[in-house]
Amino acid sequence: GRTIPSAKTRGQISKREYNEALKRHGEFCYVCGTTTNLEAHHVRFRSSQGRGVWRNIRFLCSEHHRGKYSPHQNLVLRRELEKLHESLYGPYYYCDKYDLFKMGLIPNTTDKEYEKFMSLEEKKAREFYEQNRN
């Protein structure tokens, strides 16, 4: 009895998600640190079911988002970003509430259930990092 939006719609980045990503990740290019010509990059690509959620967004300048050194061309950078986001937010960083519901990880598609689950995943990721840091 649920209507789940299309993958295309779920991959779009809303103003709310964009602003939250800026707040959490900073207003600079992850690669070079510039603060100009920033573009929101899906860490897990939309073509690989990456959603437009702030945990799946990292900012890159236009040169590093579209050029030959972009994560779209550079597998090392792509994997580095994926690993970073997984270490910060857990293995479901790129998922939205519909993904988690379809996987049976949350009981419904409310924002409250989604954030509750994702907050727990972040806590687990931090604990894992702390235990394996040395």
Side-chain angles (χ1 to χ4, degrees):
R2 272 176 228 287
T3 302
I4 296 178
S6 69
K8 182 178 180 181
T9 299
R10 293 165 57 206
Q12 294 172 347
I13 301 171
S14 71
K15 187 171 183 87
R16 185 176 140 263
E17 297 292 334
Y18 182 94
N19 288 336
E20 188 65 23
L22 277 175
K23 179 178 148 188
R24 303 282 184 133
H25 300 143
E27 296 183 40
F28 57 88
C29 175
Y30 173 79
V31 177
C32 69
T34 188
T35 57
T36 59
N37 299 321
L38 295 179
E39 299 177 358
H41 167 69
H42 288 77
V43 174
R44 169 73 72 95
F45 298 164
R46 288 177 286 182
S47 60
S48 299
Q49 283 67 54
R51 308 301 179 203
V53 293
W54 68 263
R55 290 174 180 91
N56 190 41
I57 299 168
R58 189 57 65 158
F59 291 95
L60 301 172
C61 67
S62 56
E63 181 179 339
H64 288 113
H65 192 215
R66 301 170 192 232
K68 66 180 178 178
Y69 300 109
S70 78
H72 300 278
Q73 307 297 323
N74 181 335
L75 186 60
V76 173
L77 179 56
R78 178 181 179 180
R79 296 288 182 242
E80 178 182 324
L81 284 167
E82 289 172 344
K83 205 171 170 184
L84 171 64
H85 279 248
E86 188 166 339
S87 73
L88 292 170
Y89 307 118
Y92 305 105
Y93 70 87
Y94 62 92
C95 296
D96 66 9
K97 59 189 177 183
Y98 302 106
D99 293 315
L100 298 182
F101 176 74
K102 285 166 54 175
M103 287 185 255
L105 298 172
I106 58 176
N108 57 55
T109 57
T110 63
D111 291 339
K112 182 179 178 181
E113 287 296 331
Y114 174 74
E115 284 304 323
K116 180 177 154 186
F117 178 86
M118 293 304 288
S119 293
L120 182 60
E121 288 299 304
E122 286 177 44
K123 183 179 180 206
K124 288 181 196 175
R126 278 192 307 273
E127 288 171 356
F128 180 81
Y129 173 78
E130 288 299 320
Q131 290 173 355
N132 295 289
R133 188 166 62 168
N134 301 326

